[in-house]
DNA sequence: ATGGTCGTGGTACGA
């Protein structure tokens, strides 16, 4: 039985948040940390600094927007996902193997506003992603998908459900796209261990949203059915959101006995 | 910077 401590964090620029990341890694020491919105090209990825802190890395970045990376304490086996065009357009996915577990780092499109062009792109993206995951399950029964889903699964994951009713990040079509993953057998690891509301992973920079705990829980760690019973803890660490010049997201965690 | 803040790149745009 091998313990696996996995974290996911939308850092909103890896280069700006490198000190926060390392500070957090020093006190939490996850085996794997999945990063989103690295906003750095592969050529400019701070591999030397990451390596110096004892982490191996796989990363897929682009200029200005998006970008994902997985850091691990053990050497990582990158898995090159065969992506349809809609998923390959931007750098929103990367994957690696940890023992026999396929670990997928995901940064789902934000969608901007319900009904907008970006919203339809988000739904199209999510549909393609669901199909990809469904096909991967045939080869990899044990899958962890973690990242910024840009979807709050339920109203209890939203600070003011009335304000956010059918708004972006909360609309029924977005939640249905997430539901498809649950129907494939995935579980939201946070909800395996927590029933309470008012637990969030993202707070807008504006209007002192964090101090007032006006947030949403949109950063998720999903475990495929064979891994559900192996998940022994899950949580959100809001501490780094209170640091000076923070990411707008908090790191989320899940621990497994694999 | 169409309220509010932040990252990016050097321009408004995306979140």
């Amino acid at each position: 039985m091998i313990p696996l401590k996995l974290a996911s964090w939308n850092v909103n620029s890896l280069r700006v948040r490198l000190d926060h990341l390392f500070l957090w890694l020093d006190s939490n020491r996850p085996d794997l940390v999945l990063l989103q919105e690295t906003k750095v090209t592969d050529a400019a990825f701070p591999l030397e600094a990451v390596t110096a802190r004892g982490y191996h890395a796989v990363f897929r970045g682009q200029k200005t927007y998006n970008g994902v990376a997985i850091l691990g304490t053990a050497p990582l086996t990158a898995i090159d996902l065969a992506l349809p065009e809609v998923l390959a357009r931007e750098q929103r996915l990367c994957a690696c193997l940890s023992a026999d577990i396929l670990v997928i780092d995901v940064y789902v499109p934000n969608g901007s506003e319900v009904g907008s062009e970006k919203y339809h792109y988000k739904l199209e993206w999510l549909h393609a992603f669901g199909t990809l995951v469904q096909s991967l399950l045939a080869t990899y029964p044990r899958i962890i998908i973690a990242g910024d889903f840009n979807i709050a699964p339920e109203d209890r994951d939203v600070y003011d459900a009335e304000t956010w009713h059918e708004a972006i990040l909360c609309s029924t079509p977005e939640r249905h796209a997430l539901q498809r993953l649950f129907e494939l057998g995935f579980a939201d690891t946070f909800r395996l261990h927590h029933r309470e509301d008012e637990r969030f992973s993202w707070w807008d920079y504006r209007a002192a949203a964090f101090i007032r705990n006006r947030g949403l829980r949109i950063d998720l760690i999903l475990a495929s059915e064979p891994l559900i019973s192996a998940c022994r803890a899950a949580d959100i660490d809001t501490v780094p959101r209170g640091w000076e010049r923070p990411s707008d997201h908090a790191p989320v965690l899940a621990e497994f006995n694999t």
Side-chain angles (χ1 to χ4, degrees):
Chain A
M1 193 170 61
I2 302 162
L4 171 66
K5 183 173 179 177
L6 181 144
S8 172
W9 195 0
N10 181 325
V11 290
N12 186 16
S13 172
L14 179 57
R15 284 174 291 184
V16 169
R17 228 64 69 190
L18 208 51
D19 289 346
H20 280 198
L21 175 64
F22 289 152
L23 190 62
W24 190 79
L25 289 176
D26 284 345
S27 52
N28 289 273
R29 298 309 295 179
D31 302 295
L32 291 171
V33 59
L34 283 57
L35 308 174
Q36 302 87 38
E37 285 205 88
T38 55
K39 297 185 176 180
V40 63
T41 61
D42 292 349
F45 189 89
L47 186 57
E48 227 174 271
V50 166
T51 302
R53 299 303 268 230
Y55 279 87
H56 303 263
V58 298
F59 42 87
R60 300 183 67 89
Q62 63 182 85
K63 204 169 82 164
T64 311
Y65 304 116
N66 311 313
V68 284
I70 303 176
L71 312 189
T73 52
L76 299 173
T77 305
I79 295 292
D80 211 1
L81 300 172
L83 300 179
E85 195 277 331
V86 66
L87 299 184
R89 228 178 275 173
E90 301 172 312
Q91 299 296 4
R92 297 181 175 277
L93 287 167
C94 72
C96 71
L97 269 182
S98 175
D100 66 338
I101 300 172
L102 179 65
V103 176
I104 302 176
D105 183 10
V106 58
Y107 175 50
V108 174
N110 172 280
S112 188
E113 279 183 62
V114 172
S116 68
E117 194 173 325
K118 288 188 172 65
Y119 178 74
H120 293 295
Y121 167 62
K122 179 180 194 175
L123 295 181
E124 185 189 2
W125 195 99
L126 285 165
H127 183 262
F129 181 65
T131 301
L132 171 70
V133 170
Q134 188 165 6
S135 70
L136 286 169
L137 278 170
T139 310
Y140 306 96
R142 284 152 52 102
I143 299 181
I144 296 171
I145 309 171
D148 179 356
F149 282 75
N150 269 316
I151 303 169
E154 301 176 77
D155 280 352
R156 62 176 163 164
D157 300 309
V158 179
Y159 74 87
D160 182 344
E162 280 187 33
T163 297
W164 287 83
H165 179 70
E166 292 300 336
I168 196 65
L169 315 183
C170 301
S171 75
T172 300
E174 292 169 84
R175 286 177 172 173
H176 278 167
L178 190 57
Q179 185 64 33
R180 180 179 177 191
L181 297 178
F182 299 145
E183 284 164 7
L184 290 172
F186 286 86
D188 176 355
T189 57
F190 182 81
R191 286 299 174 207
L192 295 175
H193 299 278
H194 300 273
R195 292 183 193 173
E196 68 272 26
D197 57 12
E198 302 285 304
R199 295 293 307 277
F200 309 128
S201 68
W202 168 81
W203 303 257
D204 198 294
Y205 282 123
R206 293 168 289 191
F210 179 63
I211 297 167
R212 302 153 82 183
N213 201 28
R214 295 185 171 209
L216 276 69
R217 192 173 69 87
I218 57 176
D219 299 272
L220 312 174
I221 300 174
L222 308 187
S224 67
E225 195 279 330
L227 279 169
I228 292 174
S229 61
C231 181
R232 59 183 178 83
D235 218 330
I236 305 170
D237 184 1
T238 59
V239 171
R241 185 63 178 80
W243 291 345
E244 192 177 341
R245 210 182 174 197
S247 168
D248 46 352
H249 294 252
V252 298
L253 292 137
E255 294 180 44
F256 299 86
N257 289 323
T258 62

